[in-house]
Amino acid sequence: MVEQKERELVLKELAVERNLGLTQEEASERLETYGRNEFEESKKKTKIQMFLSQLRDPMIYILGAAVLISAFLGEYSDSLIIVAVILLNAVIGMVQESKAEQSLEALKKMSSPNALVRRGGKNLEVPAADLVPGDIVILEAGRIVPADMRLIETVNLKIEESALTGESVPVDKDASFVAEGDVTLGDRINMAYMSTSASYGRGEGVVTATGMNTEIGKIASMINNTADEMTPLQKRLADLGKMLGILAVLLCAALFAIAVIQDRNIIDMMLTAISLAVAAIPEGLPAVVTIVLALGVQRMVKVNTIVRKLPAVETLGAVSVVCSDKTGTLTQNKMTAVRLYVPGSMKDVSADALAELSGSESGNENDEFGRKYEDLIKGFIYCTDAEVNGENRIGDPTELALIDLGINIGMEKSVILAKAPRINEQAFDSDRKMMTTVQKDAESGKITAYTKGAVDRMIGRCTSVLDSAGSGSIRPITKEDIAEIERAALEMAKDALRVLALAVKYDDDSASEESLVFMGLVGMIDPPRPEAKDAIRVFDGASVKTVMITGDHKDTAFAIAKELGIASDISQCITGDELNDMTQEELNGIVSGLRVFARVSPENKVMIVNAFRSHGDIVSMTGDGVNDAPSLKSADIGVAMGITGTDVAKGAADMVLMDDNFATIKSAIEEGRNIYANIKKSVLFLLSSNLGEIMTMFTAILVGLAAPLKAIHILWVNLITDSLPALALGVDTGDKDAMRKPPRDPKESLFAHGGYVITILFGLLIGAITLIAFIFIPVYELRAQGTAVTLANIDAMLDNEFIYLKSQTYAFTVLGISQLFNAIGMRNLDRSVFTMNPFNNRMMIIAVVAGFLLQIAVTEIPFFENVFDAAELSLSEWLTLTALSTAPIWLHEIVVLVRRLSGRRVSAQ
């Protein structure tokens, strides 16, 4: 490991001299050996490959066979319609899949286009892609690190690594540091990594890894190697497709067996077999599911969520674990001063407290107290190099936090600097861990020096203290003072605050850092998002675990987690170092008791996601940094931040939060639960309708009657009459109590909670009333003739071409209209249709009216009559058939009554 080696040894191993660098010849040779400093791309599917992959489905195979048989028998209209259905579903799937991942392209954009290197003793700007191991790279504030490198010189160098490690503040780098043993990425302070940026100071480093061998390259490789898995709904629909495919084959086989036994015409039976195969396949289902998900995506936009992958919408409803990055997701990714201390007093810098401080000139007994805090804030602001001009924020996050604190009480840096300009300074460096500025009052000429820095370094240099009692006089510092200051600093540190001390020195313009007067302390933290706590509480009520994953230190992570309600005990926290000593199986065994993962690497994050998934959990991972990308892609649902999120994170995610609001995930999960519930309604509705078609066809053939329906009739009902109500069910109003229930089991069947019974009941009923409609005219004619009503006589009556045409039209009409009434009841199986508000789902009203009009068109418009081999119906016939078609409504009322009574019995027990 490079971080464990002295810099001189690294230079020797890479065969390069620091002052000369590589020659152009050496660089060219190494470029041939190591390759360009770029990322490899995974081979992407072509549009044709995407299209063909949509055809690998059991339902499509059955329909394909139906096309060939129909064409062979000369039924070209049926063939064309089935081909259109297959092509429509394939195109919809291809369009969705063609939204290719942009992760690697985003990673490329993050790479520095140029780098300042030393070659042949000269400093040159070269394309970052041309860097090779052994190149000497010069870093300065504002530059992107172009490759992984071992630092060989650092002068107050700070590097912003939050996108890679999750560390919320820039890291002080030290070229002289040598790691002892394995250390986490964030603790390798002698290394600089590709895609991070220098925020302060300068330095030099020797390139140790390029392209796919860099840390960011390893992330790119992890993204490439993460297989896309099917969502729970996709798995259920795939299982359903296999089941229906097998059913269609069995029905066709049974039909041929019946044909042989009954000595029927084989050609007629082949046509009937096609009708049965078509009846077994809900052709509109893929399109309905896709459109419902797409409409769900549109609704998601209203709650500030962009869904990049359609299936992610329904997967949200099954999420049982939300793994969230801390920095920028649960927290604001903005260091904020939250606590102040002056000798004898500590104050939370809340909105109320700031209001009190800003009004401290009122002359009351708190004037001196307020003035001391204002003086402390003013001193901290003087001792900063950061700048804030509106939206432009430049400088170290901790200094920006101090300036923000001043702004909050009406103290602008530019204003106080105008009154007391800086005349001397001693810049911060990582050895002293202090900074000093000297200010001269423009009016009085009074000189005051301010020094801020780490508490342990400052206390030893303070000989006096600014007494908080009386008039704020200066007195010698005592052991008791030092103990009190250390207690205050420790109290802040326990709450994971970053603590800085401030001291002052009067009438000395030398910027000396000896014999200082202690003024006070400030505690800063990247604070939790206020809305995140409420969201986590809602998740608890919905049986969804919230887990924090961060690159920050364990104490910092736990303090935030405790405040948010994620963890209650430090034993629920674990570090990346501990994870590195575990196998995946060992982590799987203990992960249920863990809520906070601190100081973790990108590999650790993927390991954590996989551990929760090993318990059957559906895992959502939220994040905004490059380091989150692999885990975003490996999770069931990857959620990236839209504002602060890197392009890499967005590219790897399934959905993006436009407002960076953790609480938006709550709304998205609620929407996902309701969408799944609606899709389930649509599936049960379509399958009960299909079962009705199967029962109609199979029963009629079994008892020796002619086929009640043609293939084109079933296709019309499945694609047109059924699809509109199915879509209406898919956009039905959601359950207000959705987030008060536990997530569904991802292995749960679409038929769970009585789905099989509902499908069979309504399927049998629809089949029965369709058969009644089919035999209505023959039975009526037989009775009118005084002839016995037997199956043989009914079949003989159907030999009459006109009666057969009329009977098929009756069956076709009842089948289509009954589906509309079936859809109305499917909205809610726990409520009577007569207590539902129809205007809560206007789409259903449109679907029912449109369904009626389309069915009427089939029998009343000559062109459609010819296409569908249908007969014209009179008004009285329409009224009779419509009355018969309302049967699903009455069955719905019986189901509601039974469920209600059984519910009462259960609750009574």
Side-chain angles (χ1 to χ4, degrees):
M1 301 293 282
V2 180
E3 67 273 7
Q4 298 174 17
K5 298 176 181 178
E6 294 283 354
R7 47 193 160 182
E8 292 80 9
L9 178 59
V10 176
L11 290 168
K12 184 178 179 180
E13 289 179 347
L14 290 169
V16 62
E17 292 186 28
R18 174 184 170 184
N19 295 328
L20 295 176
L22 300 174
T23 64
Q24 288 293 357
E25 292 76 16
E26 287 173 327
S28 297
E29 289 174 5
R30 295 189 185 194
L31 192 61
E32 287 290 326
T33 303
Y34 295 103
R36 291 173 65 80
N37 184 29
E38 295 175 334
F39 302 120
E40 298 172 1
E41 291 190 45
S42 57
K43 191 174 180 180
K44 292 176 181 171
K45 283 184 182 179
T46 64
K47 289 286 196 301
I48 293 175
Q49 288 173 322
M50 290 180 191
F51 179 82
L52 293 176
S53 68
Q54 308 304 318
L55 303 178
R56 299 190 191 105
D57 184 277
M59 289 195 286
I60 300 298
Y61 299 154
I62 300 298
L63 291 177
V67 169
L68 295 175
I69 297 171
S70 296
F72 176 75
L73 297 174
E75 298 289 333
Y76 298 116
S77 60
D78 288 2
S79 296
L80 289 174
I81 292 173
I82 298 172
V83 167
V85 170
I86 294 172
L87 292 178
L88 176 65
N89 287 334
V91 168
I92 290 173
M94 181 195 72
V95 169
Q96 188 52 43
E97 190 176 343
S98 66
K99 295 178 179 179
E101 297 296 336
Q102 300 298 317
S103 301
L104 295 176
E105 287 78 0
L107 283 165
K108 283 183 176 180
K109 291 177 186 177
M110 290 192 65
S111 305
S112 174
N114 290 297
L116 184 60
V117 301
R118 185 173 297 129
R119 286 184 178 171
K122 295 180 180 179
N123 292 350
L124 306 169
E125 287 273 356
V126 302
D130 291 342
L131 288 180
V132 295
D135 263 326
I136 303 298
V137 177
I138 293 93
L139 293 175
E140 51 196 23
R143 279 193 177 269
I144 301 293
V145 179
D148 285 5
M149 60 184 71
R150 170 61 162 93
L151 296 170
I152 53 179
E153 180 187 9
T154 51
V155 180
N156 303 326
L157 180 64
K158 293 186 178 184
I159 294 183
E160 169 61 58
E161 296 181 338
S162 63
L164 180 63
T165 67
E167 182 72 58
S168 54
V169 295
V171 179
D172 292 319
K173 294 296 182 177
D174 183 359
S176 64
F177 173 78
V178 178
E180 296 181 5
D182 291 337
V183 292
T184 58
L185 208 61
D187 293 324
R188 299 173 192 172
I189 60 174
N190 57 358
M191 298 290 295
Y193 293 106
M194 187 178 194
S195 85
T196 60
S197 61
S199 62
Y200 190 85
R202 59 184 176 84
E204 290 183 7
V206 58
V207 174
T208 57
T210 58
M212 297 300 288
N213 294 319
T214 62
E215 292 296 329
I216 199 79
K218 292 174 185 175
I219 291 175
S221 178
M222 291 168 70
I223 294 173
N224 263 347
N225 295 332
T226 303
D228 290 327
E229 293 199 15
M230 296 175 73
T231 69
L233 180 61
Q234 286 174 320
K235 291 175 183 175
R236 300 289 81 77
L237 291 177
D239 292 341
L240 179 61
K242 292 174 186 175
M243 182 185 77
L244 292 175
I246 293 169
L247 176 63
V249 171
L250 292 176
L251 285 171
C252 291
L255 202 62
F256 272 99
I258 293 169
V260 171
I261 294 170
Q262 296 180 350
D263 195 24
R264 292 206 180 209
N265 184 294
I266 297 298
I267 299 299
D268 288 344
M269 283 300 97
M270 288 182 73
L271 289 172
T272 305
I274 291 171
S275 298
L276 261 179
V278 170
I281 307 298
E283 290 81 7
L285 181 58
V288 166
V289 169
T290 300
I291 294 169
V292 168
L293 291 175
L295 292 172
V297 167
Q298 292 179 10
R299 290 202 299 275
M300 291 281 195
V301 172
K302 295 178 181 178
V303 291
N304 295 313
T305 304
I306 298 173
V307 177
R308 297 184 63 252
K309 301 173 186 175
L310 272 190
V313 178
E314 63 84 16
T315 309
L316 279 164
V319 166
S320 54
V321 176
V322 174
C323 293
S324 177
D325 180 49
K326 179 186 77 70
T327 305
T329 307
L330 291 169
T331 64
Q332 299 173 25
N333 198 18
K334 179 183 177 183
M335 289 298 288
T336 305
V338 294
R339 204 172 301 173
L340 294 172
Y341 165 83
V342 295
S345 302
M346 189 177 298
K347 191 172 190 67
D348 287 331
V349 195
S350 62
D352 292 340
L354 290 179
E356 180 184 334
L357 290 179
S358 63
S360 61
E361 296 178 2
S362 58
N364 61 32
E365 61 183 1
N366 289 324
D367 282 357
E368 189 63 35
F369 176 81
R371 199 155 40 244
K372 287 203 71 173
Y373 274 107
E374 285 187 339
D375 288 343
L376 179 65
I377 296 169
K378 186 183 295 183
F380 271 121
I381 295 173
Y382 277 133
C383 207
T384 62
D385 287 326
E387 296 291 338
V388 175
N389 290 311
E391 296 298 318
N392 295 322
R393 300 169 61 81
I394 303 169
D396 184 88
T398 57
E399 292 194 348
L400 290 169
L402 296 172
I403 295 173
D404 287 338
L405 179 59
I407 291 172
N408 290 340
I409 65 167
M411 189 183 291
E412 297 281 349
K413 181 177 179 179
S414 58
V415 175
I416 64 172
L417 278 178
K419 293 180 180 178
R422 185 182 297 184
I423 61 171
N424 196 7
E425 65 182 292
Q426 192 171 171
F428 174 89
D429 69 48
S430 54
D431 292 329
R432 289 175 20 255
K433 295 190 182 297
M434 290 189 296
M435 171 185 179
T436 297
T437 63
V438 181
Q439 318 295 139
K440 182 176 182 179
D441 191 284
E443 292 184 5
S444 66
K446 182 180 179 181
I447 292 173
T448 309
Y450 295 95
T451 301
K452 73 170 169 57
V455 179
D456 57 338
R457 300 295 180 94
M458 294 279 287
I459 289 180
R461 296 172 183 258
C462 292
T463 56
S464 306
V465 63
L466 198 60
D467 198 347
S468 61
S471 59
S473 58
I474 298 172
R475 60 174 176 78
I477 196 166
T478 65
K479 289 182 180 180
E480 289 76 14
D481 291 326
I482 293 172
E484 183 191 334
I485 293 166
E486 289 176 340
R487 275 196 301 272
L490 182 62
E491 183 180 331
M492 291 186 186
K494 282 181 178 178
D495 290 333
L497 303 188
R498 188 174 190 192
V499 186
L500 289 177
L502 183 74
V504 66
K505 194 171 187 179
Y506 300 107
D507 303 322
D508 184 346
D509 61 4
S510 67
S512 166
E513 293 172 341
E514 301 296 336
S515 303
L516 303 176
V517 179
F518 179 83
M519 286 189 73
L521 306 173
V522 63
M524 291 171 285
I525 197 169
D526 179 12
R529 290 178 175 271
E531 66 277 3
K533 191 169 185 178
D534 291 335
I536 290 166
R537 187 168 58 249
V538 172
F539 283 152
D540 287 342
S543 300
V544 176
K545 299 175 189 172
T546 306
V547 173
M548 178 191 288
I549 302 178
T550 178
D552 269 349
H553 291 280
K554 188 174 183 177
D555 290 341
T556 304
F558 175 65
I560 294 290
K562 188 175 182 180
E563 185 174 347
L564 287 170
I566 294 173
S568 57
D569 191 270
I570 195 71
S571 63
Q572 296 173 294
C573 307
I574 194 170
T575 66
D577 285 337
E578 293 173 279
L579 292 177
N580 291 335
D581 294 332
M582 291 183 184
T583 64
Q584 181 70 61
E585 290 69 28
E586 287 172 335
L587 178 58
N588 293 353
I590 65 169
V591 74
S592 298
L594 300 174
R595 290 294 179 272
V596 179
F597 298 84
R599 218 65 183 153
V600 295
S601 67
E603 293 86 351
N604 293 150
K605 292 188 177 187
V606 174
M607 192 178 174
I608 294 161
V609 169
N610 290 338
F612 280 109
R613 294 186 69 193
S614 73
H615 290 269
D617 285 308
I618 297 295
V619 180
S620 165
M621 171 69 192
T622 68
D624 58 358
V626 177
N627 60 322
D628 297 318
S631 51
L632 286 173
K633 195 163 186 197
S634 65
D636 296 286
I637 291 287
V639 183
M641 299 293 120
I643 299 172
T644 59
T646 60
D647 286 343
V648 184
K650 294 174 191 174
D654 299 290
M655 52 186 277
V656 180
L657 304 184
M658 292 186 290
D659 58 358
D660 282 16
N661 189 336
F662 179 80
T664 301
I665 300 170
K666 170 180 69 70
S667 301
I669 289 178
E670 183 174 8
E671 187 69 37
R673 290 186 175 189
N674 285 325
I675 286 172
Y676 180 83
N678 287 342
I679 288 175
K680 183 174 178 178
K681 292 178 193 175
S682 297
V683 169
L684 294 182
F685 162 69
L686 289 172
L687 292 182
S688 61
S689 300
N690 277 66
L691 180 61
E693 295 162 6
I694 292 170
M695 294 307 300
T696 300
M697 295 293 294
F698 196 75
T699 304
I701 301 302
L702 187 63
V703 298
L705 298 178
L709 299 163
K710 295 181 182 295
I712 197 170
H713 295 161
I714 296 170
L715 280 170
W716 171 263
V717 170
N718 286 359
L719 288 172
I720 307 300
T721 313
D722 279 1
S723 293
L724 292 175
L727 284 174
L729 287 170
V731 297
D732 207 10
T733 51
D735 181 1
K736 295 178 181 179
D737 294 326
M739 291 303 284
R740 294 179 184 174
K741 302 171 183 176
R744 73 177 191 276
D745 187 334
K747 296 179 182 178
E748 177 183 291
S749 164
L750 284 164
F751 301 100
H753 311 298
Y756 279 114
V757 174
I758 294 300
T759 303
I760 292 170
L761 272 178
F762 283 91
L764 290 175
L765 177 66
I766 290 170
I769 61 175
T770 303
L771 279 173
I772 290 170
F774 180 60
I775 65 173
F776 183 85
I777 294 176
V779 169
Y780 179 83
E781 292 293 334
L782 288 171
R783 285 180 174 175
Q785 296 172 7
T787 306
V789 179
T790 64
L791 288 172
N793 288 338
I794 291 173
D795 189 48
M797 190 68 68
L798 289 171
D799 287 338
N800 181 299
E801 188 175 337
F802 175 77
I803 290 177
Y804 185 40
L805 177 66
K806 199 79 169 178
S807 295
Q808 279 196 323
T809 304
Y810 272 29
F812 181 25
T813 301
V814 168
L815 179 67
I817 300 301
S818 65
Q819 316 281 31
L820 302 177
F821 287 108
N822 186 24
I824 293 171
M826 279 289 177
R827 285 187 62 196
N828 193 326
L829 291 168
D830 293 315
R831 285 185 62 188
S832 167
V833 167
F834 304 104
T835 63
M836 294 182 195
N837 182 354
F839 297 102
N840 281 345
N841 189 340
R842 285 183 167 82
M843 179 69 179
M844 183 61 77
I845 298 174
I846 294 170
V848 171
V849 172
F852 259 102
L853 293 175
L854 288 168
Q855 198 64 39
I856 291 170
V858 169
T859 61
E860 306 308 316
I861 297 176
F863 172 77
F864 288 116
E865 284 180 27
N866 294 329
V867 171
F868 289 94
D869 281 335
E872 186 176 344
L873 300 177
S874 66
L875 178 60
S876 62
E877 286 175 315
W878 266 107
L879 292 174
T880 301
L881 294 176
T882 299
L884 180 60
S885 299
T886 62
I889 289 289
W890 309 117
L891 178 58
H892 172 273
E893 295 304 302
I894 294 170
V895 169
V896 169
L897 182 61
V898 170
R899 285 166 74 104
R900 190 175 297 162
L901 292 173
S902 64
R904 283 175 183 168
R905 283 198 298 271
V906 170
S907 60
Q909 291 172 354

